[in-house]
Amino acid sequence: MVYFPEVEKIQYEGVGTKNPFAFRHYNPEEVVEGKTMKEHLRFAIAYWHTMTQDGSDPFGNPTNERPWFGATPLETAKNRVEAFFEILVKLDAPYFCFHDIDIAPEGDTLEEFYENLDIITDLIKAKMDETGIKLLWNTANMFSNPRFVNGAGSSNNADVFAYAAAQVKKGLDISKKLGGENYVFWGGREGYESLLNTDMKLEQDNIARLFKMAIAYGEKIGHKPQFLIEPKPKEPTKHQYDFDAATTLAFILKYGLEGDFKLNLEGNHATLAGHTFEHELTVARINDALGSIDANQGDVLLGWDTDEFPTNVFDTTLVMLEILENGGIAPGGVNFDSKVRRSSFAKEDLFLAHIAGMDTFARGLKGAAAIRKDNFLSDLKAKRYASFESGIGASIVAGNEDLESLTEYSLKNGANIKNESSHIELVKSQLNDYLV
Ligand SMILES: [Mn+2]
């Protein structure tokens, strides 16, 4: 069945087009810095927001037109595979991502869930073989079912920990079956409501135990995706352990996971943590931990996770600058963990929203490449830190100085130290010239 007969395969038509079902900036085959846009951006579409999100909110019922509901949950799940691959093909998206419960009904038992996952992943595999579309990452949803009320890896209940392990094992079996390039852990319930009843050390030790079991099982079955942890400071849990990139890096280093784990960073999670998206990418990049990104944006006037499609060119330019500085994002990608607004309920909005996001990231890529071509920010930074290139600065960096030698230097150099103006307003204005 064709779910979107009125939508043709989306083509690049350039900025002059009036066709809303066309790319105006994302030209998959256009070469930027020696690679095609398709290779740079590695776009992925998220199963959850695209196929299962219904437009309901805490105050209102579903609004979304989604014509794939069948007589049973399993029939709906099968229909969703058809519709999803129609969207992927028509958007020319090379990758997709999912949680286990997005694709198949949980049923009443773990055995039934496994059977449903086998049925649906057979269908997905056939579609992947037919289209060449690949799995960027999958993950286990260990936060929606009531059993995860007190967490999964961090639960106080050992039976819940065991059940989470069984979901992760199946997730890795599916990853192997579908050739998943990454495997994600997002701990929405891994945190605490109150410290009064929480053993933080045991909870964090246990999360690390679960991650080490995942590494060991991947080695056992001969499938080694890049493992990723996705930081988020809060929501649904009041305080989540993977608060931001720096906190999660400390966890990775404490438990010796740095060889196997990197970070999957999301725009809206960054802003909830009080950071910009590019801050989180910079922290990851300078620590060799930039794995993948969840491309979305929040609303500056709202304090929760709205997961909006990215439309802010300033943000995507700075994000793509970090990705280019990192030498690319592979084996990660740019996953649209983004949902249409409740008022944007037409089924065709799934295309229009992804086109908006893809064009916004393509603009960001072009702008970032232009900044690098002119050495705009690299020259500016080189000049700003020039004092560490020669003289006493070079000697500090080389490790040749200590507190006594620097005291001697400062006594001679004097207290009247000259600083340079940043001219930061000029820099910001010049940056605007690079926005595409
Ligand atoms: Mn989010």
Side-chain angles (χ1 to χ4, degrees):
M1 172 162 175
V2 176
Y3 288 88
F4 303 91
E6 65 290 343
V7 180
E8 310 264 326
K9 186 163 193 230
I10 309 303
Q11 307 285 346
Y12 169 71
E13 294 184 8
V15 285
T17 187
K18 297 286 179 220
N19 177 9
F21 291 93
F23 295 121
R24 290 181 291 131
H25 294 273
Y26 179 57
N27 183 2
E29 301 311 321
E30 185 178 328
V31 174
V32 178
E33 288 198 12
K35 283 196 295 191
T36 65
M37 283 194 171
K38 194 169 184 172
E39 289 167 325
H40 274 290
L41 292 161
R42 298 170 60 83
F43 284 133
I45 298 188
Y47 214 96
W48 53 103
H49 286 316
T50 304
M51 303 317 298
T52 69
Q53 198 256 126
D54 61 13
S56 58
D57 70 13
F59 302 91
N61 296 336
T63 54
N64 289 346
E65 294 169 12
R66 300 290 183 262
W68 40 73
F69 284 89
T72 65
L74 190 59
E75 199 182 303
T76 300
K78 290 178 180 177
N79 294 344
R80 281 178 172 146
V81 174
E82 281 289 327
F84 189 58
F85 274 84
E86 185 183 342
I87 293 169
L88 288 166
V89 167
K90 287 184 171 174
L91 282 169
D92 199 14
Y95 289 97
F96 64 103
C97 302
F98 62 85
H99 306 78
D100 47 6
I101 72 163
D102 304 334
I103 61 167
E106 287 188 82
D108 295 321
T109 64
L110 187 58
E111 291 88 341
E112 204 183 319
F113 188 28
Y114 278 9
E115 279 167 28
N116 289 340
L117 286 167
D118 290 341
I119 292 166
I120 297 299
T121 52
D122 282 348
L123 295 179
I124 289 177
K125 182 157 191 337
K127 285 285 185 189
M128 291 172 73
D129 291 344
E130 182 190 319
T131 60
I133 292 166
K134 294 185 277 189
L135 176 60
L136 186 69
W137 53 259
N138 62 306
T139 183
N141 176 319
M142 304 189 294
F143 46 89
S144 293
N145 191 291
R147 78 175 61 86
F148 298 117
V149 62
N150 294 316
S154 68
S155 177
N156 59 306
N157 185 335
D159 286 345
V160 174
F161 183 100
Y163 203 98
Q167 266 184 260
V168 172
K169 176 190 174 292
K170 187 65 174 175
L172 288 169
D173 289 335
I174 289 170
S175 176
K176 181 177 182 181
K177 176 177 177 177
L178 302 181
E181 298 185 20
N182 306 268
Y183 186 88
V184 166
F185 289 92
W186 174 60
R189 305 273 177 202
E190 312 290 31
Y192 63 82
E193 167 70 25
S194 171
L195 276 180
L196 297 177
N197 63 0
T198 297
D199 182 340
M200 190 191 286
K201 183 171 190 305
L202 177 66
E203 293 200 359
Q204 295 201 359
D205 287 351
N206 279 348
I207 295 170
R209 288 184 177 102
L210 182 62
F211 290 174
K212 286 180 179 175
M213 288 177 194
I215 295 167
Y217 186 67
E219 279 164 7
K220 184 173 178 186
I221 63 173
H223 176 63
K224 204 169 184 312
Q226 172 67 57
F227 287 105
L228 301 170
I229 303 174
E230 181 171 331
K232 186 175 181 183
K234 57 190 171 185
E235 196 195 6
T237 301
K238 186 182 90 173
H239 183 104
Q240 286 165 213
Y241 292 135
D242 300 329
F243 192 94
D244 61 2
T247 311
T248 309
L249 268 169
F251 178 92
I252 286 172
L253 294 172
K254 176 181 175 183
Y255 292 102
L257 301 167
E258 64 270 26
D260 298 283
F261 276 80
K262 289 188 175 182
L263 301 176
N264 181 41
L265 298 165
E266 174 178 318
N268 206 162
H269 294 181
T271 49
L272 287 175
H275 303 305
T276 60
F277 200 176
E278 63 270 21
H279 167 97
E280 291 292 82
L281 267 71
T282 305
V283 170
R285 177 176 63 75
I286 64 174
N287 288 288
D288 193 27
L290 178 50
S292 197
I293 66 166
D294 269 11
N296 66 22
Q297 66 187 31
D299 185 313
V300 290
L301 302 181
L302 300 176
W304 63 91
D305 193 19
T306 55
D307 286 343
E308 297 179 23
F309 274 87
T311 52
N312 185 320
V313 179
F314 182 86
D315 289 349
T316 59
T317 302
L318 296 181
V319 164
M320 286 313 301
L321 195 55
E322 280 304 315
I323 289 177
L324 292 177
E325 293 287 316
N326 193 58
I329 193 83
V334 174
N335 171 49
F336 288 106
D337 184 4
S338 310
K339 63 183 172 197
V340 290
R341 299 296 86 206
R342 189 165 185 264
S343 60
S344 197
F345 48 73
K347 62 178 177 162
E348 294 78 19
D349 284 310
L350 291 173
F351 286 92
L352 299 175
H354 280 97
I355 292 167
M358 291 162 88
D359 271 340
T360 304
F361 262 86
R363 288 177 185 230
L365 171 60
K366 287 190 275 192
I371 289 168
R372 279 158 56 88
K373 186 160 180 283
D374 282 358
N375 295 314
F376 167 47
L377 296 177
S378 51
D379 281 355
L380 182 153
K381 287 183 195 179
K383 189 161 174 274
R384 189 157 184 262
Y385 294 93
S387 70
F388 285 95
E389 290 295 324
S390 62
I392 192 67
S395 187
I396 290 170
V397 171
N400 296 332
E401 301 297 329
D402 58 25
L403 293 185
E404 288 166 304
S405 67
L406 292 174
T407 300
E408 199 180 314
Y409 173 86
S410 295
L411 285 169
K412 278 187 209 148
N413 193 46
N416 193 16
I417 298 169
K418 186 173 173 283
N419 275 304
E420 307 258 338
S421 170
S422 67
H423 307 306
I424 192 64
E425 295 80 6
L426 171 66
V427 172
K428 289 179 178 178
S429 176
Q430 288 170 329
L431 178 72
N432 281 341
D433 295 342
Y434 288 97
L435 301 185
V436 176

